[in-house]
Amino acid sequence: MSNYKIAVVPGDGIGKEIVPEGLRVIEAVAKKHNFSIETEEFGWGAGYYLEHNMFLPEDGLDTLKKFDAVYFGSVGLPAVDDTLPAKDYTFKVRTNFNQYVNYRPVRTYPGVTRPLRSEAPIDFVIVRENTEGEFVQVGSQYLPDSENGMGIDSSIFTRKGIERVAHYAFKLARTRRSKVTHITKSNTLINSLAYWDRVIGEVAAQYPDVEHQQMYIDNSTAMFVLKPEQFDVVLTTNLFGDILSDLGGAIMGSLGLGGSGNINPEREFPSMFEPIHGSAPDIAGQNIANPYGQIWSAAIMLEHLGEEEAAQSIMAAIDKTTTQGVLTVDLGGDAKTKDVANAVIANL
Ligand code: ATP
């Protein structure tokens, strides 16, 4: 019987409410599919920062390395500078563990009213480059208080960084509907994103069986709303992917529906699985947060660990639950966070 060691980092805000529910689903599905999980919880995040002046201890990354995967909620609190959670926790884990793929699927949830007019089924995956691009935080502010003040951030796109995420996207497309749409803005960002296009073009040539389409970011935001059914794999940069995945959540019906994985495809390090939304302090502590994205993230994690059938069971149970109308407030229902997890477990 396989046993998986999972590090659990609920983080802050609604993370503390939805992670335990996701864990209950994982425990139930493990029983059903005959594997076991061993979890250890770490109370890191912005709350930890307020007490210890750091988001995770000095040896936190070394601690995480010993696990097969990290099941994460979200970090951030209104009392903490909101530039810190990304810099001091999320980017730290993603970069140090070479989690260069941010895998963010978007799909139709049965029984959930979505804001789009068209009823055409949506089923695509955003593959967001997760370690470089616009979020490398290389830059400075010069004389910020003076009338000559300025702020500069540089984007960094390396051949190695583009090639590896592009190969991942094209290989993924081969397991799906064989189409990659790569998002760019090389008509104005004539160095960084022109190079992004060039390297992706070179990789695409190695996958002649996969359709390769290039789309500008402005057009793609419109297409997400007007014709999302055209997408299969959307390959995009760190910043564009950040924005497009919130839009992906919105077209599904709520930000609370999106699950994701920060993947290290070579498996040198554990991958980390989290919903696409943040810690939502405005609704924390009320048992009303939507846990579907967190539960979906559990399915993505189990699939990554090789438990495909368990992952499929979770997705089937989610579909049955939304079809039954077990919907949280953000989806127009009145189900509580725990009601959703209870119903998903019953449907397993
Ligand atoms: P981050 O920058 O960390 O992604 P954010 O500032 O974009 O965070 P979120 O925490 O994602 O903000 O919340 C944005 C809005 O979406 C809030 O109004 C929040 O209540 C709502 N929201 C986010 N997640 C959920 C959820 N799981 N269930 C219900 N509402 C949610």
Side-chain angles (χ1 to χ4, degrees):
M1 186 164 93
S2 304
N3 177 57
Y4 303 102
K5 288 177 69 183
I6 311 290
V8 179
V9 183
D12 308 297
I14 60 169
K16 287 188 189 317
E17 294 161 55
I18 57 179
V19 167
E21 301 308 315
L23 268 182
R24 288 205 294 131
V25 174
I26 297 173
E27 274 153 16
V29 84
K31 252 187 218 143
K32 180 177 167 178
H33 287 273
N34 211 23
F35 62 89
S36 60
I37 60 156
E38 223 178 296
T39 58
E40 189 173 343
E41 188 171 319
F42 300 96
W44 303 337
Y48 186 90
Y49 171 83
L50 288 173
E51 280 178 42
H52 304 276
N53 215 28
M54 53 178 91
F55 276 70
L56 72 172
E58 301 281 359
D59 61 354
L61 291 175
D62 285 334
T63 304
L64 291 182
K65 271 184 201 157
K66 297 175 195 129
F67 289 85
D68 295 312
V70 183
Y71 191 54
F72 172 48
S74 54
V75 285
L77 284 176
V80 173
D81 172 356
D82 71 356
T83 63
L84 296 179
K87 181 166 79 63
D88 288 349
Y89 179 77
T90 327
F91 291 176
K92 214 172 186 167
V93 179
R94 289 173 180 173
T95 312
N96 280 283
F97 287 177
N98 257 341
Q99 295 168 347
Y100 59 84
V101 170
N102 198 340
Y103 176 96
R104 297 190 152 193
V106 180
R107 68 179 198 122
T108 309
Y109 273 83
V112 170
T113 308
R114 60 189 206 197
L116 304 179
R117 227 173 6 196
S118 157
E119 289 299 325
I122 305 171
D123 175 17
F124 64 89
V125 179
I126 299 172
V127 172
R128 163 185 171 189
E129 200 295 316
N130 211 25
T131 53
E132 52 179 48
E134 309 88 341
F135 286 176
V136 288
Q137 305 197 326
V138 173
S140 297
Q141 293 183 22
Y142 294 102
L143 305 171
D145 299 323
S146 82
E147 63 179 19
N148 297 320
M150 66 174 90
I152 301 174
D153 266 306
S154 301
S155 300
I156 297 183
F157 289 84
T158 65
R159 171 173 286 282
K160 187 176 153 196
I162 305 166
E163 279 180 354
R164 62 188 188 177
V165 75
H167 278 292
Y168 181 92
F170 280 89
K171 283 185 186 138
L172 176 65
R174 277 186 171 157
T175 68
R176 297 175 47 91
R177 300 193 306 279
S178 290
K179 180 176 174 187
V180 171
T181 305
H182 103 251
I183 309 295
T184 187
K185 189 65 185 168
S186 48
N187 52 343
T188 48
L189 295 167
I190 59 169
N191 295 302
S192 56
L193 292 187
Y195 192 59
W196 164 257
D197 291 356
R198 176 185 149 167
V199 177
I200 291 174
E202 289 170 14
V203 172
Q206 299 169 46
Y207 298 82
D209 51 315
V210 178
E211 184 188 344
H212 172 218
Q213 177 188 33
Q214 177 175 313
M215 193 179 278
Y216 291 127
I217 179 64
D218 34 357
N219 184 25
S220 70
T221 54
M223 286 301 122
F224 263 46
V225 173
L226 297 173
K227 218 170 162 255
E229 63 277 8
Q230 72 177 290
F231 297 112
D232 179 21
V233 174
V234 174
L235 170 59
T236 180
T237 72
N238 213 334
L239 169 67
F240 293 166
D242 189 25
I243 298 165
L244 283 177
S245 29
D246 269 28
L247 187 52
I251 63 173
M252 284 191 273
S254 166
L255 263 189
L257 293 171
S260 81
N262 301 277
I263 311 276
N264 169 238
E266 290 74 23
R267 297 169 190 267
E268 316 146 276
F269 301 101
S271 294
M272 178 166 73
F273 300 84
E274 58 174 314
I276 62 164
H277 57 77
S279 57
D282 53 332
I283 58 161
Q286 300 172 46
N287 189 28
I288 58 167
N290 178 343
Y292 280 113
Q294 186 76 54
I295 296 172
W296 190 2
S297 305
I300 298 168
M301 176 172 79
L302 292 176
E303 191 179 351
H304 177 76
L305 293 172
E307 297 291 342
E308 276 101 4
E309 282 178 14
Q312 280 162 15
S313 285
I314 293 179
M315 296 317 290
I318 286 178
D319 282 359
K320 203 163 168 198
T321 309
T322 52
T323 305
Q324 289 165 342
V326 184
L327 304 175
T328 40
V329 177
D330 55 310
L331 300 173
D334 58 7
K336 303 291 183 195
T337 308
K338 277 187 188 302
D339 300 335
V340 172
N342 287 340
V344 171
I345 291 167
N347 284 327
L348 275 173

